[in-house]
Amino acid sequence: MTAVTVGQAFQQGLAEEMEADDRIFVLGTDLFIRGGHFAQVKGIGPRFGHDRVIDTPISEAAMVAAGVGAALNGMRPLIDLNFIDFAFGAMDEIANQAAKSSYLWGRPVPMVIRASSGVALYSAQHNNSLEAWFMHMPGLITVMPSNAADTKGIIKSALRSDDPVIFLMHKRLTGVRGEVGGPDELVPLGRAAIARPGSDVTIVSSGIVVNKVVKAAEVLASEGVEAEVIDLRTIFPLDAQLIEGSVRKTGRALVVTEEPPFASVASEIAAMVQEEVFDYLDAPVQRVTAAHSPIPHSPGLMEALIPQVETIVSAVRGSVERWPSTEA
Amino acid sequence: MTAVTVGQAFQQGLAEEMEADDRIFVLGTDLFIRGGHFAQVKGIGPRFGHDRVIDTPISEAAMVAAGVGAALNGMRPLIDLNFIDFAFGAMDEIANQAAKSSYLWGRPVPMVIRASSGVALYSAQHNNSLEAWFMHMPGLITVMPSNAADTKGIIKSALRSDDPVIFLMHKRLTGVRGEVGGPDELVPLGRAAIARPGSDVTIVSSGIVVNKVVKAAEVLASEGVEAEVIDLRTIFPLDAQLIEGSVRKTGRALVVTEEPPFASVASEIAAMVQEEVFDYLDAPVQRVTAAHSPIPHSPGLMEALIPQVETIVSAVRGSVERWPSTEA
Amino acid sequence: MINEPQIINEALSETHEQLAAADRPSEDGLLEIDISGLPAGELVKWLEDMVLIREFEEALEPLTLSGKIPGSVHQASGQEAVAVGVVRALRPGDIVASPHRPHHHALAKGLTPRAVMAELWGRATGCAGGRGGTMHLIDFSLGYFGSNGIVGAALGIAMGAALAAKLRQNGQVCVGFFGDGGANTGRTWEFVNFATVEKLPLIVVCENNQYAVETWIRREMVGGTIAERAIGFGLPASQVDGQDIAAVYAATVEARERAAAGGGPTFIEAVTYRYRGHNTGEVINYRTEDEVEHWRATRDPVERLRSSLERLGQLRPGQFEEIVAGASAVVQDSIEFSESSPVPDPATAGDRVLVTPFDEKGLA
Amino acid sequence: MINEPQIINEALSETHEQLAAADRPSEDGLLEIDISGLPAGELVKWLEDMVLIREFEEALEPLTLSGKIPGSVHQASGQEAVAVGVVRALRPGDIVASPHRPHHHALAKGLTPRAVMAELWGRATGCAGGRGGTMHLIDFSLGYFGSNGIVGAALGIAMGAALAAKLRQNGQVCVGFFGDGGANTGRTWEFVNFATVEKLPLIVVCENNQYAVETWIRREMVGGTIAERAIGFGLPASQVDGQDIAAVYAATVEARERAAAGGGPTFIEAVTYRYRGHNTGEVINYRTEDEVEHWRATRDPVERLRSSLERLGQLRPGQFEEIVAGASAVVQDSIEFSESSPVPDPATAGDRVLVTPFDEKGLA
Ligand SMILES: Cc1ncc(C[n+]2csc(CCOP(=O)(O)OP(=O)(O)O)c2C)c(N)n1
Ligand SMILES: Cc1ncc(C[n+]2csc(CCOP(=O)(O)OP(=O)(O)O)c2C)c(N)n1
Ligand SMILES: [Mg+2]
Ligand SMILES: [Mg+2]
């Protein structure tokens, strides 16, 4: 098994599914030659042809509408929005059409919307984190893989799902390498993974942040605190059981995300954990998120706004100091 | 002082501010004659003329863009979207333009976006609750009054604010009457109110739900549980101090909202309260929200999905039974 | 800065007079239509369809005002020829999607009055199980891809369905309806452009009833016709008299042929009129009763077809009254059916949000 | 279902040949322009503006590839005549808003190379304090209402600013720029329609450089020109040669007069060309080098103005080289300025999100 980039893992998963199911097609801007702004479908165009990789005008509403209508009429579209920020221009099509058809009409919309997401360069309008919005909106599944294997395994599951799936790929993960599974290895939607086992504190995160959390866990381990790191993989439906089970064991939880703090995925997990396993908690569930701020251009400013390994470590330290474990 | 409807309270506040500040104008569909779908600006057109009440095509992106550009060029627009659901068609203009100008360019966008919101008739596409989205998006203020006095007092503050304000009026409150303040009585943005004082449990809510919570509080009082009811009025910035102070006193908190549960305003308040006053909590912070579901047409289905007085009462009962107060 | 109050649309009299000047009515006051090109044996059925729609729509106002139908609805009385003329030119497997004013399309496409009426009532027997109401009617099995509450959105669904039809090469042609007001929402033109570029088997039908709520079309649109606007997007577009079923039918037949032959989409602007307010219960301050009467007297689409059929002896004396009585009975039956139908079970209210199971915490 | 791979835009050669056929170059190979209607005394300054833009743009690629400028940027080399021709026809208080390819507009509108360059570098001395970068340049005091990262959005801001100008009756005219790709986003037409209905003092300038990223305009747009599409929205619209500064200037002067006189918006489609890739670092697979060379050889906007000025004796021998050297020095200075400028203080990273104070819990 050789390591491939996250972008290549996506292409592999997509190509395998396209081979297996000719209802799948890809639609978006600048896909055929360029392979999208992140080369995320590079090679798919020449390989599958213009009927399966459809370049479009810069018309986000039309792209998603095309997906919704085609899905309702028997196809399984993958709509590539390039940046998740461009979903603003298709929000009615996503939230009011795709998300509501199963409920209103009993016919789900098997469509995947792929977009690059997460904090990186290009300033405020290209760095909106919208996973909380999609989690909040009934009728959508939202996924956010943190590595190549999950990227491949989840895109395969997403393309087989009957529900509309928002597939978020972190921009800064695009080139990160890892091994991936074979054609029959799927990663199920809705199932989180334990990225690192531990007994003292549960740290929940997703996407690129998992890497920082794992690094923080190593620092903490050197201080005698064993963190269990949970990689959500799917934002909604949330794998509440896995999280709760872990916190029952550790008695302490931290959620780390790169989004703005209020009404966020982190808020949801914190609220849920304290609601469900209150009696096991030694300390409040903490959140480490990005600041409530747009993302600026200057890299120094940008980094100042998002969670860093050190912020994560000191949040856990602070918790352990202020609320020492009851047992042990 | 005579009682006016929430709709009339809005008109009064708006008219007073328009008299005082000729930079304010109103823009949206079907405003001049009809006064909007909820008669929310009825009479304002004939009174102030076509330069101050501008009817538009059905072009939500253009409506909000007109507001953003005009605000940047010295005006103070009130953009009326009729239903908040139509904000989907203007989401880039709201989230990527209005919300980011102060941060990027140092020039804020003094624009109010008014829309009717909240669960009522007309099924799924007209009943999205988006307050959590706006709370999550940095650069926006979001308000949601529960009565006539606050409606008038808050619209006046909103029209004087330099920030973009999303002004959500619950459809089912439009005709509800109450007394209102005079031309100089403003309700500040960001300040919650205690709708009913109490000592045993803090119940936080906003908009129309406050009325149900107050009714639930009466039932609970008859059972010996005194609930302190907090009316948020402003969703963001959250009046965290008032909430925390109350929970420090009561040791128990419940958040009741009419939105879907995940990554919601309720999630935020639950997460924040347990983070900030963990040591005072006798029980987990509970959430009673609408179901994670689109809103259907049939009234019986609709009511089944949203919080009712009885649900609120039994949530508190359940909490008190399972986690009896530590003191007393 | 305070202007004079001004309640009636200032340009109204102009429309009315322009109309009157252009009219050359026949003896009965109606503008004649030429039905010679239509399939003669079917025309009585077409008339029945139109009458059924009219009776259905006209029954709704009291039902909404009394609260039996929750909320208000958008009636299409006056717009029958557009729905029937378009749908009769389609094949059974073809697809139609409607905006917020959809009953005429749904009934023309074969949904039963019971299925539609019960849906308006929010009953379990409605075509969407009572979940949707007027703006979310549905019957995929009949090729009816839903009514839609968002201006312009139905065209998008029809466009996407047409993309699937093209990719699947299944011969389907799709129709997306929207109104004159919908010609000002950006998404409409994204859909039109994309369909044109991809040569999709789509028929774009703009029902220009000249008002969007209280807003007269000329208040929010400058220049030529909506069809002329469409031409700039590179597809064949024309304006037809939407009160003339023969004209609507002919335009749709041509469009369908083009679409089926791989020639791409066609834009049809059908000029029509709604007799009722924007929604049931509306107080109409933006047009005169004279204007409405003029449309009724000279252009009523039901009367124009009836008059033609009578003139050609294809409708015997008394037959029209029988058709009306029959339609009225069917509508009455749909009301009784709705009234006696069960409401949906509240325990199911949160079902079917996703196929993937989840509960109040997340994954189930 | 698997087609042949096909990497180069199939219609490419056609454009190129069509172009070549239409060309009647003068002796130096350039198409002549007629500058007789232009204000003679200012033309050297115009040329200087254009050269400065060219030098500025051409300096950027290595700076982004080396990471000194974080991220990549969109260069407008080749499009200088549009920016300078439009802005020179405006009055100082007038307003301009740009899309993602904005440096030429910003420099033409009077932002200094230092302010723009330092912004690209993300330095505290940049026009947006380093927060914005290339897609969020700003200087309200100069009437520059920002570059914008969202296709079509800048036109909306210009349109709204024009609404304020109309309401305030302050005589301002506003210009919104966008590209050929932006002609396919729905919001563009909402903005154009609204401006037309409200007769706003707006000039809509579509810089048709024929590509949107790798997508040739004829791949995603069928029918006539973009200006013809605009006509359907009821405003005066025309296509001009965007490589001819005289043509751009004349069209803008006329549009400005109309706007200032209350005549509403004008749509100008300026046909132009970008010599560089969509963004710095792009590998160009979608057009030929021949095509680029043909545009350079026959239509370069700087060379065309230079050649005219030389022909008319308004530029002395060697003066052009001096201008280039001067511009190059100014650009070099802006680079040194940026390099030596401080980065913004990370402690301020979260400031100014709202005017209303708040902290990590909510209200401060
Ligand atoms: C995006 C959006 N904006 C506004 C509305 C509110 N609305 C519903 S119908 C309507 C008027 C539509 O006019 P038109 O398209 O002419 O259709 P008609 O009602 O005449 O059939 C409006 C503004 C909506 N449903 N969706
Ligand atoms: C709404 C939106 N969709 C997509 C993009 C990504 N994008 C940035 S520039 C561009 C191409 C724009 O082409 P055009 O309008 O012709 O301008 P040009 O780059 O040629 O100057 C695209 C697709 C974006 N910024 N905004
Ligand atoms: Mg209409
Ligand atoms: Mg271009």
Side-chain angles (χ1 to χ4, degrees):
Chain A
M1 235 186 200
T2 54
V4 299
T5 66
V6 165
Q8 289 161 343
F10 178 82
Q11 288 156 32
Q12 268 192 27
L14 173 60
E16 286 171 14
E17 295 301 308
M18 286 179 78
E19 289 286 359
D21 186 344
D22 67 7
R23 296 170 303 173
I24 299 172
F25 66 93
V26 188
L27 181 150
T29 52
D30 305 305
L31 301 181
F32 199 88
I33 306 174
R34 188 177 177 127
H37 283 247
F38 299 87
Q40 66 272 16
V41 297
K42 188 87 191 171
I44 302 281
R47 175 155 167 207
F48 288 93
H50 282 288
D51 275 357
R52 308 275 312 266
V53 178
I54 302 175
D55 275 338
T56 69
I58 306 173
S59 309
E60 281 80 10
M63 293 178 210
V64 178
V68 175
L72 290 174
N73 200 16
M75 301 297 286
R76 300 182 83 85
L78 183 142
I79 308 302
D80 193 304
L81 290 181
N82 270 317
F83 287 77
I84 194 59
D85 313 80
F86 306 156
F88 289 138
M91 210 41 102
D92 189 78
E93 288 70 22
I94 296 172
N96 246 353
Q97 311 296 336
K100 292 183 170 58
S101 174
S102 173
Y103 186 80
L104 290 173
W105 294 340
R107 184 174 289 196
V109 173
M111 168 176 72
V112 178
I113 294 181
R114 193 217 71 90
S116 295
S117 175
V119 175
L121 289 177
Y122 300 112
S123 194
Q125 293 178 333
H126 284 69
N127 283 295
N128 290 280
S129 289
L130 297 185
E131 49 271 26
W133 283 25
F134 298 125
M135 174 184 230
H136 186 63
M137 182 57 59
L140 301 173
I141 288 178
T142 303
V143 298
M144 210 175 175
S146 69
N147 57 49
D150 286 348
T151 299
K152 179 170 176 188
I154 294 176
I155 187 59
K156 291 174 71 82
S157 293
L159 288 166
R160 295 187 196 186
S161 170
D162 285 333
D163 291 313
V165 178
I166 313 288
F167 193 95
L168 300 174
M169 285 169 74
H170 201 291
K171 296 160 202 151
R172 291 161 111 178
L173 284 177
T174 315
V176 172
R177 287 178 181 277
E179 296 194 341
V180 296
D184 298 324
E185 285 176 68
L186 274 70
V187 174
L189 304 181
R191 294 275 169 232
I194 294 185
R196 180 189 191 282
S199 50
D200 302 329
V201 55
T202 303
I203 311 186
V204 183
S205 68
S206 68
I208 202 168
V209 184
V210 173
N211 301 341
K212 288 185 184 172
V213 171
V214 168
K215 286 205 189 100
E218 282 156 20
V219 177
L220 288 166
S222 75
E223 301 175 7
V225 177
E226 288 299 333
E228 176 142 303
V229 180
I230 295 184
D231 178 353
L232 286 176
R233 305 199 294 197
T234 296
I235 302 293
F236 188 83
L238 204 57
D239 193 347
Q241 271 197 340
L242 189 83
I243 301 170
E244 286 171 23
S246 175
V247 181
R248 271 203 198 88
K249 182 175 72 179
T250 61
R252 198 181 299 276
L254 176 72
V255 196
V256 189
T257 61
E258 216 185 48
E259 28 148 37
F262 302 104
S264 63
V265 175
S267 311
E268 177 53 36
I269 294 169
M272 184 273 285
V273 166
Q274 64 88 33
E275 238 166 332
E276 297 300 326
V277 297
F278 186 72
D279 297 330
Y280 296 82
L281 283 178
D282 291 330
V285 186
Q286 289 176 293
R287 291 177 286 172
V288 173
T289 66
H292 189 65
S293 170
I295 300 300
H297 167 58
S298 193
L301 294 180
M302 177 184 100
E303 293 293 347
L305 293 170
I306 61 176
Q308 304 295 354
V309 174
E310 191 40 45
T311 352
I312 303 167
V313 170
S314 42
V316 173
R317 271 191 211 128
S319 169
V320 172
E321 272 161 34
R322 174 143 173 218
W323 291 278
S325 268
T326 44
E327 65 259 271
Chain B
M1 236 183 198
T2 56
V4 299
T5 66
V6 165
Q8 289 162 342
F10 177 81
Q11 288 156 32
Q12 267 192 28
L14 173 60
E16 287 171 12
E17 295 301 307
M18 287 178 77
E19 289 286 1
D21 186 345
D22 67 7
R23 296 171 302 173
I24 299 172
F25 66 93
V26 188
L27 182 151
T29 52
D30 305 306
L31 300 181
F32 198 88
I33 306 174
R34 190 179 174 126
H37 283 247
F38 298 87
Q40 66 273 15
V41 297
K42 188 87 189 172
I44 302 281
R47 177 159 164 202
F48 288 92
H50 282 288
D51 275 357
R52 308 280 305 271
V53 178
I54 302 175
D55 275 338
T56 70
I58 305 173
S59 307
E60 281 79 11
M63 291 178 213
V64 178
V68 175
L72 289 174
N73 200 15
M75 301 295 286
R76 300 184 82 86
L78 184 143
I79 308 300
D80 192 304
L81 289 180
N82 270 318
F83 287 77
I84 194 58
D85 314 80
F86 306 156
F88 288 139
M91 209 44 100
D92 188 76
E93 288 70 22
I94 296 173
N96 247 351
Q97 311 295 336
K100 293 184 169 57
S101 173
S102 173
Y103 186 79
L104 290 173
W105 294 342
R107 183 175 291 196
V109 173
M111 169 177 71
V112 178
I113 293 181
R114 193 218 71 90
S116 295
S117 176
V119 175
L121 289 177
Y122 300 111
S123 194
Q125 292 178 334
H126 283 69
N127 283 294
N128 290 280
S129 289
L130 297 184
E131 49 271 25
W133 283 24
F134 298 124
M135 176 184 228
H136 186 63
M137 182 56 60
L140 300 173
I141 288 179
T142 304
V143 298
M144 211 178 177
S146 70
N147 58 49
D150 286 348
T151 299
K152 180 171 175 188
I154 294 175
I155 187 59
K156 290 172 73 79
S157 293
L159 288 167
R160 295 187 196 185
S161 169
D162 284 334
D163 291 313
V165 178
I166 313 287
F167 193 96
L168 300 174
M169 285 170 74
H170 200 292
K171 296 160 201 148
R172 291 160 112 179
L173 283 177
T174 316
V176 172
R177 286 176 183 277
E179 296 193 343
V180 295
D184 298 324
E185 285 176 66
L186 273 70
V187 174
L189 304 180
R191 294 276 170 230
I194 295 187
R196 181 190 190 281
S199 51
D200 301 329
V201 55
T202 302
I203 312 185
V204 182
S205 68
S206 69
I208 201 168
V209 184
V210 174
N211 301 340
K212 287 183 183 172
V213 172
V214 168
K215 286 206 189 99
E218 282 157 20
V219 177
L220 288 166
S222 74
E223 301 175 6
V225 178
E226 289 298 333
E228 177 143 301
V229 180
I230 294 182
D231 179 353
L232 287 176
R233 306 199 293 197
T234 296
I235 301 295
F236 188 83
L238 204 55
D239 193 347
Q241 271 198 340
L242 189 83
I243 301 170
E244 285 171 23
S246 175
V247 181
R248 273 204 196 88
K249 182 176 72 181
T250 61
R252 198 181 298 277
L254 176 72
V255 196
V256 189
T257 61
E258 217 184 51
E259 28 149 35
F262 303 104
S264 62
V265 175
S267 311
E268 176 53 38
I269 294 170
M272 183 273 287
V273 166
Q274 64 87 36
E275 236 166 334
E276 297 300 325
V277 297
F278 186 71
D279 297 329
Y280 294 82
L281 283 178
D282 292 330
V285 186
Q286 290 176 291
R287 290 177 288 171
V288 173
T289 66
H292 190 65
S293 169
I295 300 300
H297 167 58
S298 194
L301 295 179
M302 176 183 101
E303 294 293 346
L305 293 169
I306 61 176
Q308 304 295 353
V309 174
E310 191 39 47
T311 352
I312 302 165
V313 170
S314 42
V316 174
R317 269 192 213 127
S319 168
V320 173
E321 273 162 32
R322 178 147 170 216
W323 291 280
S325 268
T326 44
E327 65 259 272
Chain C
M1 253 179 141
I2 299 187
N3 300 1
E4 281 297 282
Q6 168 187 352
I7 296 300
I8 290 284
N9 200 315
E10 65 212 8
L12 253 192
S13 45
E14 194 198 343
T15 17
H16 184 184
E17 272 156 30
Q18 282 174 341
L19 257 181
D23 288 352
R24 315 210 186 297
S26 64
E27 265 163 55
D28 54 8
L30 286 168
L31 290 166
E32 273 184 37
I33 63 174
D34 173 10
I35 61 171
S36 59
L38 303 184
E42 293 185 27
L43 297 184
V44 172
K45 183 73 192 77
W46 295 19
L47 186 65
E48 285 170 3
D49 283 3
M50 290 168 76
V51 170
L52 177 65
I53 291 167
R54 177 71 57 87
E55 292 294 313
F56 187 93
E57 294 292 49
E58 293 293 310
L60 297 177
E61 180 120 8
L63 295 171
T64 62
L65 295 187
S66 68
K68 295 201 165 187
I69 291 176
S72 67
V73 301
H74 307 102
Q75 298 156 287
S77 311
Q79 302 185 197
E80 296 84 358
V82 184
V84 176
V86 167
V87 172
R88 286 279 162 178
L90 302 179
R91 305 235 174 122
D94 289 349
I95 285 170
V96 164
S98 309
H100 59 285
R101 193 179 305 286
H103 309 147
H104 54 325
H105 310 140
L107 293 170
K109 195 74 175 92
L111 278 79
T112 64
R114 283 183 167 204
V116 178
M117 184 65 84
E119 188 54 37
L120 306 192
W121 284 59
R123 298 303 166 105
T125 52
C127 58
R131 287 183 169 196
T134 175
M135 292 191 285
H136 306 286
L137 304 174
I138 196 72
D139 195 329
F140 287 110
S141 71
L142 291 169
Y144 187 68
F145 271 46
S147 58
N148 212 301
I150 298 301
V151 167
L155 179 63
I157 288 181
M159 181 272 282
L163 174 61
K166 178 186 161 195
L167 294 173
R168 295 169 64 190
Q169 303 181 324
N170 64 5
Q172 285 172 330
V173 172
C174 304
V175 178
F177 286 101
F178 67 103
D180 47 294
N184 290 327
T185 184
R187 58 170 70 86
T188 294
W189 302 106
E190 289 195 6
F191 303 155
V192 166
N193 184 57
F194 185 70
T196 306
V197 166
E198 290 293 326
K199 284 191 178 284
L200 301 184
L202 179 70
I203 308 177
V204 182
V205 182
C206 179
E207 280 182 277
N208 174 5
N209 64 10
Q210 304 166 64
Y211 292 90
V213 192
E214 72 179 24
T215 303
W216 184 50
I217 176 171
R218 281 291 157 226
R219 264 320 214 4
E220 301 301 349
M221 202 168 164
V222 173
T225 65
I226 300 174
E228 280 163 11
R229 179 178 284 189
I231 285 172
F233 290 83
L235 80 174
S238 60
Q239 194 186 56
V240 303
D241 178 353
Q243 309 306 80
D244 174 352
I245 194 164
V248 173
Y249 178 80
T252 312
V253 165
E254 188 194 313
R256 198 197 177 287
E257 274 165 16
R258 179 177 299 117
T266 303
F267 191 102
I268 300 173
E269 175 190 356
V271 180
T272 182
Y273 200 77
R274 63 163 156 79
Y275 296 150
R276 301 290 162 194
H278 172 68
N279 50 269
T280 50
E282 189 191 59
V283 181
I284 303 182
N285 287 320
Y286 49 85
R287 66 181 190 191
T288 60
E289 263 309 309
D290 266 15
E291 184 184 291
V292 183
E293 276 319 307
H294 187 78
W295 277 88
R296 280 192 188 273
T298 60
R299 287 174 160 74
D300 185 82
V302 178
E303 290 297 330
R304 280 167 97 184
L305 179 56
R306 170 202 180 164
S307 152
S308 292
L309 288 171
E310 281 176 349
R311 225 171 9 243
L312 298 172
Q314 293 182 26
L315 207 64
R316 53 177 167 68
Q319 194 176 354
F320 183 73
E321 289 67 25
E322 284 167 28
I323 290 173
V324 172
S328 171
V330 168
V331 171
Q332 199 48 44
D333 165 74
S334 77
I335 294 172
E336 281 153 24
F337 173 76
S338 302
E339 187 131 38
S340 66
S341 285
V343 295
D345 179 359
T348 65
D351 292 355
R352 224 175 58 189
V353 176
L354 288 171
V355 177
T356 310
F358 71 93
D359 62 20
E360 63 288 346
K361 292 195 282 174
L363 189 71
Chain D
M1 256 180 138
I2 298 188
N3 300 1
E4 281 298 282
Q6 168 186 350
I7 296 298
I8 290 282
N9 201 317
E10 64 211 8
L12 253 192
S13 45
E14 192 196 345
T15 15
H16 184 184
E17 273 157 29
Q18 282 175 342
L19 257 181
D23 289 352
R24 313 209 189 298
S26 62
E27 266 164 52
D28 54 7
L30 285 168
L31 290 166
E32 274 183 36
I33 62 173
D34 174 9
I35 61 170
S36 59
L38 302 184
E42 295 185 25
L43 296 185
V44 173
K45 183 75 192 76
W46 295 19
L47 185 65
E48 285 170 3
D49 284 2
M50 289 168 74
V51 170
L52 176 65
I53 292 168
R54 178 72 55 88
E55 291 296 313
F56 187 93
E57 293 293 48
E58 293 294 309
L60 297 177
E61 180 120 8
L63 295 172
T64 62
L65 295 186
S66 67
K68 298 204 165 188
I69 290 177
S72 67
V73 300
H74 307 102
Q75 298 156 287
S77 311
Q79 304 185 197
E80 296 83 358
V82 185
V84 177
V86 166
V87 172
R88 287 278 162 181
L90 303 179
R91 306 237 173 120
D94 289 349
I95 286 170
V96 163
S98 308
H100 58 285
R101 192 178 306 284
H103 308 147
H104 53 326
H105 309 141
L107 294 171
K109 195 75 175 89
L111 278 79
T112 64
R114 284 182 166 204
V116 177
M117 184 64 83
E119 188 55 37
L120 307 192
W121 284 60
R123 298 303 165 106
T125 51
C127 58
R131 288 184 168 194
T134 174
M135 292 191 283
H136 305 286
L137 304 175
I138 196 71
D139 194 331
F140 288 111
S141 71
L142 291 168
Y144 186 68
F145 271 47
S147 58
N148 212 301
I150 298 301
V151 168
L155 179 62
I157 287 180
M159 181 273 282
L163 174 60
K166 179 187 160 195
L167 294 173
R168 294 169 64 190
Q169 303 182 322
N170 64 6
Q172 282 171 332
V173 172
C174 305
V175 177
F177 285 100
F178 66 103
D180 48 294
N184 289 328
T185 183
R187 58 171 68 88
T188 294
W189 303 106
E190 290 195 7
F191 302 155
V192 167
N193 184 56
F194 185 70
T196 306
V197 167
E198 291 292 325
K199 284 189 176 286
L200 301 185
L202 180 71
I203 307 176
V204 182
V205 182
C206 179
E207 278 183 277
N208 174 5
N209 64 11
Q210 305 166 64
Y211 292 90
V213 192
E214 72 179 23
T215 304
W216 184 49
I217 176 170
R218 281 291 155 226
R219 264 321 212 7
E220 302 301 349
M221 202 168 164
V222 174
T225 63
I226 300 174
E228 281 164 12
R229 179 178 282 189
I231 286 171
F233 291 82
L235 80 174
S238 60
Q239 195 185 56
V240 304
D241 178 352
Q243 309 307 79
D244 174 351
I245 194 166
V248 173
Y249 178 79
T252 312
V253 165
E254 188 193 314
R256 199 197 177 285
E257 273 164 17
R258 180 178 297 116
T266 302
F267 191 104
I268 299 173
E269 176 190 354
V271 180
T272 182
Y273 199 77
R274 62 163 158 78
Y275 295 148
R276 301 291 161 194
H278 172 68
N279 50 268
T280 50
E282 189 191 60
V283 182
I284 303 182
N285 287 321
Y286 50 85
R287 65 180 190 190
T288 59
E289 263 310 309
D290 266 14
E291 185 185 292
V292 183
E293 277 318 309
H294 187 76
W295 277 88
R296 281 191 188 272
T298 60
R299 287 175 161 74
D300 185 82
V302 178
E303 292 296 331
R304 281 167 96 185
L305 179 56
R306 169 201 181 165
S307 149
S308 294
L309 288 172
E310 282 175 348
R311 227 175 1 249
L312 298 172
Q314 295 182 24
L315 208 64
R316 52 176 169 69
Q319 192 176 357
F320 183 74
E321 289 66 24
E322 285 166 28
I323 291 173
V324 171
S328 172
V330 168
V331 171
Q332 200 48 45
D333 165 76
S334 77
I335 293 172
E336 282 153 25
F337 173 76
S338 302
E339 187 131 40
S340 64
S341 286
V343 295
D345 179 1
T348 65
D351 292 354
R352 222 176 59 188
V353 177
L354 288 172
V355 177
T356 309
F358 71 93
D359 63 20
E360 64 286 349
K361 292 195 284 176
L363 188 71

